Every structure is written in C-alpha cells, then in structure tokens.
Amino acid sequence: MNKIVEKKELAPKIKQLDIENPEIAAKVSPGQFAIVITGGKGERFPLTVAGADPSKGTIRLIFNEVGKSSKELGTFSVGQELRGLAGPLGNPTEIENFGTVLCFGGGVMSGPLLYIAEAFRQAGNKLIVAIGARTSELLIFKEELQAIADKFYVCTDDGSEGYQGVDFLNDVLKEKKGDYALAMSVATATQKAICEITRPFGIKTITSLTPIMLDGTGMCGACRVNVGGETKFACVDGPEFDGHLVDWDLLESRKRTYVAEERTSSLCYEMGEEFASAEK
Amino acid sequence: MAKLNLNRVPMNKQEPEIRRWNPYEVALGYSYEQAVEEANRCLQCKKPGCMNGCPVNVDIPGFVGALAQGDLPQAAQVLWKHNSLPAICGRVCPQETQCESQCVLGKKGAPIAIGRLERFVADWARANPEESGVFNPELPKSTGKKVAILGSGPAGLTCAADLAKSGHQVTVFEALHLAGGVCVYGIPEFRLPKSIVQAEVNYLQNTLGVDFELNHVMGRISNVDELLKDGYDAVFLGVGAGAPMFLNIPGENSKGVYSANEFLVRLNLMKAYLFPQYDTPIKIGKRVAVLGAGNVTMDSARWALRMGAEEVHVVYRRTKAEMPARAEERGNAEEEGIIFDLLTNPSQVLSDEQGWVKGMECVRMELGEPDESGRRRPVPIKGSEFVVDFDTVVPALGTQPNPLIPRTTPGLETTKRGTVQADENGKTTKEGVWAGGDIVTGAATVISAMGAGKRASAAINEYLK
Ligand SMILES: Cc1cc2nc3c(=O)[nH]c(=O)nc-3n(C[C@H](O)[C@H](O)[C@H](O)COP(=O)(O)OP(=O)(O)OC[C@H]3O[C@@H](n4cnc5c(N)ncnc54)[C@H](O)[C@@H]3O)c2cc1C
Ligand SMILES: Cc1cc2nc3c(=O)[nH]c(=O)nc-3n(C[C@H](O)[C@H](O)[C@H](O)COP(=O)(O)OP(=O)(O)OC[C@H]3O[C@@H](n4cnc5c(N)ncnc54)[C@H](O)[C@@H]3O)c2cc1C
Ligand code: SF4
Ligand code: SF4
Ligand code: FES
C-alpha cells in the first residue's frame, strides 16, 4: 500500500509521484486532496490529487520541494512506501457545463489543474487556459493543457516566457468574457490577483485554498478561513471557495504562523545529516 | 473484625515543581505492598455499592479481594471479565463520581482507591502477560461473519474486541494514522502514556486478529452502505464527537489561537513537544489563556506549562463549584501553578499588526438564576470589561459530532444536537447499524463509551446468530 510506482522530475524542484492506493484511486474526483505522511516522525501535510488511474490503482501527486516534508517526499524512490496516505479529502470541484471556463494554474498547481480542466472539458465546456510560473523552466504541462484548451496562454513573473505577470488576462477577458473561472495556486497573492481580475467582469471564480492543515478531517480547526464573513474549515467545507468572498489577508497571515519553525525543521533535516556524518 | 481503616494509601506522584517541566506521567502508581495494603481496606460488602457506580459493572470486590490475598492472576482475570481496557480506566475514569462515590467507606472516610488498584493490576498484567492469563483467550471457530467498526476510540475498540472474541471477523476503520481515538490524540501523555494505548491496540491486532485500516476517512473513501454491500454483516459507529467549537467572538482566527483539539492533537498525536525531532511544530507563548473548565481545559493548560509558558490562566465564566473537570485533575493543575480566572468571560481576542494574539478583552460575570442544567447561569456585569495580555489562547469549549458519517449514511437519524439516535443497545434507525460512545451521547467518558461498545457488541452478536 502507498508504494511509489512512478517518479518524475517535471521541473527543478517539482516532482511527480504515482502512488499505489487502489481505494483512493477508485474514489477520488478532481479538486480533492490527500494527506501525506512520509515517515514515523512525519507531519501530516496536504497535496491536491493531480490525477488517478483506477485501473492501475494509482493516484498522482505533484509537489514543490519547499520545506522538510516535501523535500523528504522528494527523496522517495520507486518501490518505497509512504508511512501514510489519507484521502480523498475535501469536496470535489463542481463540474457542470458552464459555457466558457477560464482555468488558471500557477506553478505546481498546473498539475492538479490539468486533472480538473479535463473534467470541465468532458462536461462540454470551452476552455481558456492560462498557466504561470516564476520563470520559464518552472512551467509544467504546457503541451497537455494546450491540447485541451480552446485558447491557451503562458505567463512568467520575470517575462522569460509568454506574458509578464497575470495582468494580460484583463485583455483576454475583454475579448472573450468567460462564464466561470477557476484559479489554482499555492501562492495566496496569485490567487487573489486572478480573483481581482475576474471580479469586475462578474465571473464567478472558484479558488482552491491552501491554509495550514493538520488532520484534514474537520476535527482541529487549523485550516479555518474566512469566506463571506463566515469562518469555514477549508478541509471539510472546501478546499474550493468563491474567490470573491475570501479574506486573503487572514489566509496569508495564518499561513505564516510557523515560518520560523519551518526553517528550523528544514535546516535540521539538511544540516543534521551533514553533521552526523562529520562526527562519525 | 479488624478495625475499619478510613485512610487510603496515598498515590506516589511526581512533585509539582518537577512534573510541570516534563511530559512524563504524573501519578507513579502503587508498589505491590501499597496495593495490597489498600486492597485490604475493602470490606468485601455482600451488596457492594461500588459496583452500581461502575458503568460496566466491574466485579470490584472480586478483583480487590484477590489482590488483598496477593493473587494477582486471579485479580487480573476477574478485572478483565468486565473491562478490557483497565490500564486506561484505572487512570482516567472519574472514579470520584462513579465507583468510588458509592463505596460504603466513603460515608465515614476515604473510599477504596478502586481506580488506583485497577491500574496496579492492569500494569502488572501487562508486564507479566503469560502469568496473568488474560492475554491468551481461546478464540472460538470463525463464524464467517464480518463486522466493520468505524472509529478506534474506546467504544470502537471495546466493541471490536468483544466481537472478535465471539469469532467474527472484525475490521476497524480509523481516519487518523494511529488507533485509540481521544486516548491517543486528546488525553495527554502525562495522564495516559501512549504506550499503554498502543499495547491495547497491538493486543487486538496480534492476539484477537482484528484488522486495522488506518488513514480511512469513512464517508469519503467508503461509506456505510458500501460496507454493507461489500459483505459486512453489521456496522458499528464509534466515531466520537470530535469537531471543535469556538466562541465565535471577534479575533478568534488570529495566529496563536488554537482550538483545544488542535493544541492537543499537535502535542499528543503528532508529538510537537519533540519538535524538530518530530516534524509537527506548535507555538506556545509566555502567557497562555485556556478557556473553559473541563478535563480538556485542564489538559491543555497543563501542557502549556510543560511547554515552558510562564503563566497559564484558565478562564471560566462560572465558579470552581460548577467546573466539570475531575477534581483530581483540577487539584493537580492548581498544584502545578495554573491560575484560575473565574467569573470571567472573554468578549474579544485582540491581535497585533502581524495578526498575532496579544490579549483578550474579558467581562466579569455574576451568577444568576439556575439554567436548564441546574447550574446557576452566569450573567455579564455591565461595564466591567477589562483587557489582559496573552500571546496564546486556547478555546477548550467542548466538541460536537463531525457530520461526515450522518451526512453520508441515508436512513441514519440524528438528533438536533447532531448525535446519532440509538436505543440502549446502540441500535440505530438503520438496519444492521449500531452506534455508541460520544457519537450517541455527545462528549462523555471513556468508560461510558466502552459500556456502549460492549452493549452494542452483545446486540450485534445476537443479530448475527
Ligand atoms: C488543500 C491543499 C492542497 C495542496 N496541494 C498542494 C500541491 O498539490 N502541491 C504542492 O506542492 N503543495 C500543495 N499544498 C501545499 C503543501 O501542503 C505544502 O507545500 C506543504 O505543507 C509543504 O510542507 P513542507 O514541510 O515541505 O514545507 P513547509 O516547511 O511547510 O513550508 C515552507 C515554506 O514554503 C511555503 N510554501 C508552501 N508550499 C509551497 C509551494 N507549493 N510552493 C512554494 N512555496 C510554498 C510555505 O508558505 C512555507 O513558508 C497544498 C496545501 C493545501 C492546504
Ligand atoms: C482532552 C480530553 C480529555 C479527556 N479526559 C477524560 C478523562 O479523564 N476521563 C474520561 O473518562 N474521559 C475523558 N475524556 C472523554 C473521553 O475521551 C471520550 O468520551 C471517549 O474517548 C469517547 O470515546 P469514543 O470511542 O466514543 O470516541 P473517540 O475516542 O472520540 O474516538 C473516535 C474515533 O473515531 C475516529 N473517526 C471519526 N470520524 C471518523 C470517520 N469518518 N471515519 C473513520 N474514523 C473516524 C476518530 O478519529 C477517533 O479516533 C476526555 C476527552 C478529551 C478530548
Ligand atoms: S472501570 Fe472505571 S468506574 Fe468502573 S470500576 Fe474501574 S475505575 Fe471504576
Ligand atoms: S463498596 Fe467499598 S468496601 Fe464495599 S466492596 Fe465496594 S470497594 Fe469494597
Ligand atoms: S485541518 Fe483540521 S479541521 Fe481542517
């Protein structure tokens, strides 16, 4: 159970794992996430499911190596097993024929976006797909997304490929206003920017929020977010919410709770091993 | 007849100024001599009141009598007949309101320390598994029937153990990555060492042959109807009442505000007290406020102290007399230096520019007329608002059932409070489905959950005949 059956490096520090878990593979829908535990002392951390193959009994996770847990996950090789994998969690994306759907994928979240966008496409929607990243080499799934998109755009923060920044979407929407939008990113600022662009056009915009989580089952409240003035638990009430109602400042602030501890954890992980071998 | 001895043998404990710095168990347990001495105080009543106070009817004079004779295997076997988790109950049962409250000696002096004796016998048996004779049950031939247990708290574990002993094939589905329910994620190490809970789970798994499917959030990965369709003959719901409640006051989402569940899960289940050896962090400041007055409040407050907080306040809107926490645990907390701010109700959490908690606005209360619960209702004193500095706030206001299972189980009726409707044997409104423990009663006790698991297992056994 939870054995890695395939591993790929999609871009520097972005990895993709296909993991054997037939039960989750049979049940998961686009938009849901899983909680991963790498080892016996590991934390429980959430990753959005980026695909599933029920016939092979596998699910796909795509992640940035940013801190201790994700770096450790990145060291897993084919054949190794995760300590724990719980899912599918959260509510699936609402898939209907809305008309034209604007799908935005920032960085690593272009992975799960592909899974969701395929479902939108199958439901009969026309797709305007835009993906963005810090720089050109971090763009993932360009070909795959372009293949299912009616219109396809690329942007980067540094302008190394496609448009610079996300503001070009204003012009895209002026030309062809969509009926519905989905903004995926782990960066709160990016999600907020997309929501602010769609707001004046009156396009309902769904965003998948990534607050700190612990259990992922609704028993702790670590993941609480404010949507439309109400406190919600992102793991059970979400993770997708109407982006025009999200209190982004609160989300960003709460996500920064453990910045110092995350750094300690990451340093101990990297340097601990160096010291240990030096002392031998 | 020997002279009545009205004084119980005192419990050995870590000294308050030492234990408030470590996560190790506070109560150290009786020695053999102490246990036998205490057991010898028991009058072996013909009509033992004590048993009426125990929700699972432990044969108290039976096991205490054997212990008084120094016959530990006999004591263990009598104890295990009615209670499959005595090492846990001996530590966490509110004995002072249950078995011990009905002991005849209590009328004149100190009742028999039943919980401490239970703990002693259970710990002895665990250390001497062969000799005790309680860990090698003769399992009957398999009945070929399959039962699914949802949730691995005391209700689920008890029900699972009894059904496995009856020859059924039992699978426990647990959402978290460790089994044990509140005993593993809620009740702190310093009151209930996790190795004890794990030993219990190992016994079910290795000796009784119960399957554990961890990381299975039922209602998501599968549901009751699917289990029944997949060949399970009966289902028991022991999913507890684990969803936290907040006060819904302004500022409650500031950084540094933890629900007691989050606080305790980080510390107990995820071992944040061992960060960065373990990966899960927790951030506890110098001045901590824990809101409420139950066991959960005391547990959170005492953990905060052990994590290095300089001042820990329990903030409660009524008085000591109304506190629902066990007297012993409140006493332990007081000895350790927890400060009680009584007749005080928070009205707002205040935060700094970075969104961190910096204090609470509170209002003074006075006791008015009794409410539905019979306790005098606290009412705010107008204009008495005041501000106190805190950098960590832990609302420990109780929990409610998680709606996931009821919502995904058509035909399962719930009450207005969200608990599952069940009769005294745990039978729900859905055919083939039983329920017990906190999911039926709302937050209660380990032993009442075990009692419910036991009654349901008997009913399921009957149903499967
Ligand atoms: C519902 C949900 C779904 C998620 N899905 C994904 C996913 O599919 N792929 C994925 O990579 N992450 C995803 N995340 C984020 C992921 O859970 C965190 O990246 C993870 O906790 C990292 O743990 P860590 O110990 O490696 O880093 P930490 O030590 O927790 O974080 C280090 C720092 O990096 C920042 N950071 C966190 N995640 C990222 C990121 N992805 N990119 C850049 N910076 C980041 C954090 O703000 C933090 O300050 C999701 C989060 C949620 C709540
Ligand atoms: C901090 C704290 C201290 C306490 N102290 C005491 C004490 O000193 N003495 C005492 O007698 N009682 C105490 N209690 C109360 C006691 O622990 C509970 O009443 C008892 O554990 C209830 O048992 P249960 O089996 O009904 O549920 P729980 O112990 O809550 O177990 C339920 C289990 O079901 C799992 N679950 C939930 N939903 C799902 C799902 N959808 N799928 C799969 N699994 C699921 C949960 O993860 C959990 O493991 C305390 C409670 C807390 C929180
Ligand atoms: S199980 Fe609890 S209530 Fe019953 S005798 Fe033991 S300690 Fe007392
Ligand atoms: S009531 Fe007290 S003295 Fe009598 S049998 Fe029970 S424990 Fe012993
Ligand atoms: S992560 Fe604990 S309630 Fe959402």
Side-chain angles (χ1 to χ4, degrees), chain B residues 69-88:
Chain B
Q69 305 293 319
D71 188 348
L72 287 166
Q74 172 68 10
Q77 284 156 29
V78 173
L79 182 53
W80 251 269
K81 225 179 264 165
H82 296 271
N83 185 343
S84 54
L85 306 172
I88 297 177

Side-chain angles (χ1 to χ4, degrees), chain B residues 53-56 58 60 83 89-90 93 95 98-99 114-115 118 447:
Chain B
C54 172
V56 298
V58 166
I60 297 166
N83 185 343
C89 294
C93 267
Q95 292 103 10
Q98 298 184 331
C99 49
I114 300 167
E118 190 166 315
I447 192 68

Side-chain angles (χ1 to χ4, degrees), chain B residues 438-455:
Chain B
D438 285 3
I439 183 66
V440 171
T441 55
T445 61
V446 168
I447 192 68
S448 61
M450 287 176 55
K454 206 173 190 74
R455 289 191 301 278

Side-chain angles (χ1 to χ4, degrees), chain B residues 92 151 153-155 174-175 181-182 191 216 218 238-240 299 437-438 444-446 449:
Chain B
V92 305
E174 167 57 47
V182 170
R191 282 215 287 135
H216 274 59
M218 303 306 280
V239 291
D299 286 346
D438 285 3
T445 61
V446 168

Side-chain angles (χ1 to χ4, degrees), chain A residues 41-217:
Chain A
K41 297 177 181 174
E43 65 181 340
R44 302 171 59 92
F45 68 104
L47 294 175
T48 312
V49 177
D53 186 336
S55 65
K56 284 199 208 137
T58 61
I59 65 162
R60 174 166 294 176
L61 300 177
I62 296 172
F63 57 97
N64 273 336
E65 294 173 306
V66 286
K68 156 89 204 261
S69 302
S70 51
K71 284 178 194 164
E72 192 166 65
L73 183 61
T75 66
F76 274 70
S77 39
V78 171
Q80 268 185 294
E81 283 182 23
L82 300 178
R83 163 77 170 71
L85 185 67
L89 299 172
N91 300 306
T93 310
E94 238 180 272
I95 304 284
E96 274 178 41
N97 189 346
F98 294 104
T100 300
V101 180
L102 168 69
C103 295
F104 180 86
V108 73
M109 291 302 243
S110 299
L113 177 72
L114 176 60
Y115 185 34
I116 302 173
E118 277 168 346
F120 274 129
R121 171 104 210 160
Q122 266 174 20
N125 292 284
K126 284 208 167 349
L127 301 181
I128 306 175
V129 176
I131 61 171
R134 265 199 337 275
T135 189
S136 169
E137 64 173 351
L138 297 177
L139 290 163
I140 57 172
F141 294 120
K142 250 186 309 187
E143 288 78 30
E144 292 83 346
L145 281 160
Q146 184 157 24
I148 59 166
D150 296 277
K151 292 238 186 255
F152 182 72
Y153 305 90
V154 166
C155 63
T156 47
D157 291 351
D158 62 1
S160 52
E161 188 172 340
Y163 292 89
Q164 181 159 19
V166 295
D167 291 345
F168 75 97
L169 284 173
N170 275 307
D171 300 327
V172 171
L173 291 177
K174 265 180 216 147
E175 198 182 305
K176 168 107 182 73
K177 182 177 163 308
D179 303 295
Y180 197 76
L182 176 74
M184 302 284 291
S185 171
V186 277
T188 310
T190 307
Q191 288 178 294
K192 182 179 173 185
I194 305 294
C195 293
E196 287 317 316
I197 290 171
T198 58
R199 194 193 295 272
F201 293 96
I203 305 171
K204 178 150 181 180
T205 304
I206 298 303
T207 60
S208 185
L209 303 185
T210 56
I212 289 170
M213 290 187 179
L214 182 59
D215 59 300
T217 71

Side-chain angles (χ1 to χ4, degrees), chain B residues 26-260:
Chain B
V26 167
L28 301 170
Y30 279 158
S31 66
Y32 173 75
E33 290 74 22
Q34 288 174 311
V36 171
E37 182 187 341
E38 178 65 15
N40 269 301
R41 293 206 302 127
C42 172
L43 304 178
Q44 294 290 312
C45 306
K46 288 267 140 39
K47 285 191 188 148
C50 54
M51 285 178 66
N52 299 332
C54 172
V56 298
N57 263 305
V58 166
D59 178 359
I60 297 166
F63 97 83
V64 174
L67 176 58
Q69 305 293 319
D71 188 348
L72 287 166
Q74 172 68 10
Q77 284 156 29
V78 173
L79 182 53
W80 251 269
K81 225 179 264 165
H82 296 271
N83 185 343
S84 54
L85 306 172
I88 297 177
C89 294
R91 286 173 168 82
V92 305
C93 267
Q95 292 103 10
E96 64 283 358
T97 59
Q98 298 184 331
C99 49
E100 294 177 9
S101 74
Q102 313 252 353
C103 169
V104 47
L105 285 175
K107 287 187 196 139
K108 293 214 179 113
I112 296 291
I114 300 167
R116 296 174 185 177
L117 296 180
E118 190 166 315
R119 167 188 166 144
F120 176 80
V121 173
D123 287 357
W124 174 83
R126 211 156 28 87
N128 301 278
E130 298 283 317
E131 202 186 330
S132 71
V134 289
F135 297 113
N136 46 2
E138 258 180 56
L139 294 179
K141 220 172 88 245
S142 165
T143 59
K145 302 272 168 125
K146 280 169 64 179
V147 185
I149 310 276
L150 275 54
S152 64
L157 291 182
T158 306
C159 191
D162 283 3
L163 289 168
K165 283 184 199 159
S166 304
H168 306 305
Q169 189 187 328
V170 181
T171 307
V172 177
F173 296 92
E174 167 57 47
L176 296 172
H177 61 284
L178 285 176
V182 170
C183 295
V184 54
Y185 78 70
I187 305 180
E189 182 72 17
F190 55 83
R191 282 215 287 135
L192 177 61
K194 299 308 143 217
S195 55
I196 292 178
V197 185
Q198 194 53 51
E200 204 48 59
V201 172
N202 291 346
Y203 168 68
L204 259 65
Q205 195 164 11
N206 302 334
T207 308
L208 299 183
V210 173
D211 285 328
F212 282 85
E213 292 283 1
L214 305 177
N215 299 309
H216 274 59
V217 182
M218 303 306 280
R220 292 283 188 200
I221 191 150
S222 176
N223 61 40
V224 172
D225 282 331
E226 286 169 325
L227 290 172
L228 291 170
K229 215 171 61 208
D230 285 350
Y232 285 94
D233 300 288
V235 174
F236 175 77
L237 306 174
V239 291
M245 296 197 268
F246 287 90
L247 276 172
N248 296 317
I249 55 175
E252 225 174 353
N253 292 337
S254 308
K255 281 177 285 186
V257 181
Y258 290 94
S259 76

